[in-house]
Amino acid sequence: MFNLSSIVQKAQQLIDPALTAPTERKPSKSALFRLQFRLPETQNPLQEITAELTLSAQRTTEGTHLIERDRDRARGNRYVGKLHLSEHYMCFSTQASSYLSTASTANSTSFTGQTHGSGPAGNGFTLPLCAIRRVERLHSQNTAFSLAITTSNGFSDHSKQGTTDAPQRLVMQLAGSRQQCDRFCDGLKKGLRAGMRDVENLRKVVGLSYSEYHLADEAAKDGKKELIPTREAPDTGLGSIFRYPGDSRKLRDKAKMRLWKEYMRENGRNATLIRQPTFHKLIRVGLPNRLRGEIWELSSGSFYLRLQNPDLYVQTLSKYSGQESLAIDEIEKDLNRSLPEYPGFQSEEGIGRLRRVLTAYSWTNEDVGYCQAMNIVVAALLIYTSEVQAFYLLSVLCDRLLPGYYSQTMYGTLLDQRVFESLVEKTMPILWDHVQKSDVQLSIVSLPWFLSLYINSMPLVFAFRVLDVFFLEGPKVLFQIGLAILRINGEELLDASDDGAFISVLKDYFSRLEDSAHPKSENPKLRAVTRFQELMVVAFKEFAGITQDTISKQRSAHKEVVLENIENFAKRTSIRNLGPESKKLSLADLGFLYDRFYGVLYDRQQRSQTIQDESERKAKAGKSKAQQLVTGIPAADDVEVGRVALGASTTQMDYDAFREFLVGVARWAVADTQSPSHDLEKQSYFTNSTRSRSISMSPWGAGPDPADDEFIRRLFRKWDVDEYKSLSLQNVVVGFAKVKGARDIMSTIAYFFDLYDDDNDGKVDRDGILKMSEALLFLGRRGFVTSALASPSQTPIQNGASPRLDKNPQRTTSKDEEFLSAVSSFIRRCFEYADADNAHAIQMAKNAAAEESATASSLADFSIGGDEEDDDLVDLTSDSIPLTPTTPRQTSTSPIMSSPSQLMNLPPMPSETKPNTHAANAALDPANPLFITLPTFRMLVLADETLEHFFDTDFVNSFHLADQPVDSTASSSSNLTTFANLGKGFQRPNLGAPALSLPASGGVVPPGKGLRGMLDNIVTDGMRVATEVRRRMEEAQRELDSASTPGGAGSSTHKDDEDDEEDDHRTIDDVNADRRSVREGDRDLLEGLEAAELDGSDAGSVGKVENLMDAGLTSPVRSSRASTSSERTGNGIVEFER
Amino acid sequence: MADAGASPAPKPSSSVKLVLLGEAAVGKSSLVMRFVNNDFQENKEPTIGAAFLTQKCNLPTRTIKFEIWDTAGQERFASLAPMYYRNAQAALVVYDITKSTSLTKAQHWVAELQRQASPGIVIALVGNKLDLASPSSSSADDADGGDGGDEEADEGDARKVPTKTAKAYAEEEGLLFFETSAKTGERVAEVFTAIANAIPETQLKGPRGAAGGQRQEESRVNLGAAKDASAKEGCAC
């Protein structure tokens, strides 16, 4: 059974074989590197070397250049870590406890090393290469290889360099072999040269940062006013206009600002900031209002996104200006309800900013668009940041920090709720038991915490403190805070026994965060500790063990269940919403169609992704794997694209996808020729070898190649009611509902007719008739599973899913023969009964009813007059197919052989008064446009038991839905019903006598190719049969012209009986007599042709198989592709014969 | 919570979990706001996940404490809904009578609840924003709680969903049916009273956390009885 979980497995194996082997956890450096330093996707670690960073402890404005190296080294902080070089960045980090013993700040370790590669932990820097002004090689003592790096601190005052702070200078001592150091330096040189291009961007971005302004302002105060151009303070959010939340005195904003200023003067600012332990501490105590936005940008890495593309925000807004979208409608609804208590959002200014940021983001990420809660988060950001800053912060939030939170299905939110619950279970088992027992759904309280980052749960001042740490240390902070909240309120929560009580305990707690945590303590210092401070301590000390790694592992562990739940919900919902038409199908069928529909879309997206990335596949796979290991969620943009639970990006199926879709639904939709790579894929499907699977690059993946037939095209067009050139699930379901839901032969016939009634005028013309026949052959070429004609020997379906052919080849073959003959006689009769396009149309309409009754009566007559039973009729019908090579020819004299004469004596129209030959000629003359109407078509179908059965059950049943899905892996060519594998009754064509056989002009078989060519063609493309039929029709017509003599008329067959009343003087007995004498009387050219072509080989069926295989394998004209297919055909037949 | 115990009424009290579902901006939160605080706000913060409120409803024989889960209406929040309707004894499926798509969405929710929520859940279909329809098209004066109205919508008012259509659907599915206006408060309380009456006695639990054994044996109410009862009894809120 084809379902989503199997897709998931397949996908995982395809994407990430390592997932099944968790021991192999070696995420690629690129991803870790980017995550650690919060760099954009474009960056890769090119060089890496162990190095020691030396920072001067105290630099003075003057004399930096004079500082001697030795003195520097003696006094400065030293850190040993890894120095990385990417395309545009040089990064350094000590990562956790890698300090040298000389590290000055003793307690710094507690602030580092907890982010496990998910944020700029540890000490170090992330330096854009464009911010490096100079690199000097220091020829130091002994073997050390030292670089002195001068950054472009104070870049905006570039022209007046030297007037502000002295340039920042760091010394890196590289620890590595000479060769390694040289290589690193070469890379650095290259990078620096390239970095020149970005200097302008840097200037633009840095010019807007408050730190730059603030420090310059400070310099001005120091007495250099005349050198500093007065400029406006950069935008630091709505807070600068509408006041920042909280009491700035209580928050000690000024003191914090002073500390930061001091820190930045020593350690650089914005682009050149160096992270020392103090940096982490300063963030933990809360950021000062005006620097908050900038530090958020730096620690989240959105600064680097902005640096990469500083104009994206403005460009996006102007590009989409005036356009509308669903997201914009939704945004508009919520603008007035985003932090409405903050004065800034009661003003047009604030609302305008909010609107622009949300709108711009919805355009840059249309898959996410807009999700409620984003309005609250962005509103909060905008208090401290400019619009541009908020825009990039939002990008980083949605794409990296909160993966999947705001997506269409919100899978990230649900997943993290699951993770949170399991962490509660692990860390607070008693509380967890209580929650379970009292049936409280934890996520009911915690979901809004995560979704809106505590912003609408806690008072704003405190929520921002959480955000400060969150941006630096990543999503684990949300978990730590959440766990701490529960831990602190544990006692009270244990008393709460329902959701309401639970919520109210926490609401109460949040409202008293400002209060003292220990109000009754004797110790005044302890009394001064607020509940919020307590929360932070509990979160980061007691739950220090919750690392990014923990979260990632938990996410991986719960991902499947969560995604499946979402998928089930989505499936339920989607199936329910399919409209009234869908009620015609069973729920199981709808479920099956849903799975198949999205399965195909998903597979296709995966494949196109894989194929697209093939060249860099290895690198790519490594990257996505790493990303998944780090975040626990596959990078939505490149791993599981199209998976429903992740918010499928495509819900429309194009024609190719439709073909692939049908392969799993109908056997006839499988192509007769398979691409050569298919063998390999099939093999891998069965062996489930991930290795060979990942090799497969066929555009159709592991399934068989779908056929591309006129009929499928027509079906697609018909179902595409909106004419989008693609189908939605709704279209597909409605389409199936019309086919499968009818369950009534009349409507099925009408449906089929409509497919070919191009202009909806109720008529199908000559071309249409031929196409219909082609379609019938196409549909019937693999036989049908359930047939009324099936004998008891028909084997039941094997393997529960894969319909197999009858074990008794004879029986099956004759069934197939019957179908082929039925189709050919259908064609013939179509032309018999077709109306000439104009005048006849009216007559036809008039006589439609009479005609049908005539048919009925003639049938009755037949069985009465001649001592024929219905079976005989069928036999006659099926044998009377001189027009197609399908005819099981019998060379011996037999009454059946009267059939060829039928052609010669096509009966006139029922209402015709003209001589029948004349009428027949008119009907067959290509110059005479003709058509059949639905009543005619219906009559023709009903007149033939095989066709009647086809439309009664086979056609509808050929679409396999939930009841018996097609095993799409079943061999595609094993059971083609074509001339090639007709069993008994099929007589080998005479290779030696091609003279009269299908001329080359038919375009079907090159003369001289004889059997081999014919088989090749027929086997590889059953459709050509119809072409042949058509050609023979014309030939026959020619015959007819020459034979339009009384003698010809005399050889009418029984089939003309229905017209006897009007224009045939013969009786039924005559007909029978005719039939018997036909062998003698109708040795016309046509039959000669048939005989010459089909006769003359008496090899048994086994011999035939060999022959077929030979034909396929040795055919010199076929490409290797063709020979593969022929080989399969051969194989298929062997199986068939068995 | 403690409230239940503090209730002055000596009558037995039981809590009922009620969930509100429906398309975005049909007025779910406003209905709750009207019911709980008898208040109406034009600009309410959107519901993130779900909001939780409680309100008591006094019936002659007992007190029902509604634990109301007001869910977010934005389409993508739909996948969170199972979390909220889990174990709900009652559901208010709200649509906007001026927006026909909202009834379709409501029907989807009804189907979802019928299949996925606890068996026996009492579902009320509520057409909100009755104030936007012209009076003649509503049945405001009709006190019968189960009867939403008998007139087709007039041409010219904002009503898009005829009472008849929705009512026929509700009857077919065995739902309570009301048309309300959270803005004017019209028939809001009746909805909750009717639901309170329709909850089968067997489904009622005692107030959680308080002494649990106070189940009442009388007043086994079925849907039919609820209709009559709701006409006479209002919520004491």
Side-chain angles (χ1 to χ4, degrees), chain A residues 228-266:
Chain A
I228 306 302
T230 44
R231 51 177 189 151
E232 268 181 54
D235 188 352
T236 51
L238 291 166
S240 59
I241 310 169
F242 298 98
R243 294 192 65 251
Y244 293 102
D247 180 346
S248 64
R249 200 173 44 82
K250 230 187 198 162
L251 293 171
R252 306 189 60 201
D253 200 57
K254 286 221 169 89
K256 286 175 185 169
M257 207 63 198
R258 277 195 298 276
L259 286 168
W260 274 100
K261 191 186 290 178
E262 189 188 317
Y263 183 83
M264 290 194 295
R265 209 178 302 137
E266 284 172 21

Side-chain angles (χ1 to χ4, degrees), chain A residues 420-438:
Chain A
F420 184 65
E421 283 175 355
S422 80
L423 291 178
V424 172
E425 186 181 356
K426 277 199 182 117
T427 56
M428 288 169 267
I430 297 172
L431 181 63
W432 178 249
D433 274 358
H434 172 71
V435 163
Q436 290 292 90
K437 267 189 220 131
S438 41

Side-chain angles (χ1 to χ4, degrees), chain A residues 1051-1104:
Chain A
S1051 54
S1052 294
T1053 69
H1054 70 286
K1055 283 316 276 177
D1056 304 330
D1057 286 353
E1058 50 206 66
D1059 307 317
D1060 280 352
E1061 291 163 15
E1062 284 177 48
D1063 38 49
D1064 204 311
H1065 308 297
R1066 294 171 303 123
T1067 63
I1068 300 294
D1069 288 343
D1070 288 337
V1071 178
N1072 287 336
D1074 269 345
R1075 199 145 37 85
R1076 277 189 294 277
S1077 66
V1078 138
R1079 180 92 180 105
E1080 299 305 315
D1082 295 299
R1083 285 202 186 280
D1084 53 62
L1085 273 173
L1086 191 72
E1087 192 184 355
L1089 176 147
E1090 291 289 326
E1093 182 195 330
L1094 295 170
D1095 211 347
S1097 167
D1098 50 3
S1101 53
V1102 176
K1104 195 180 73 204

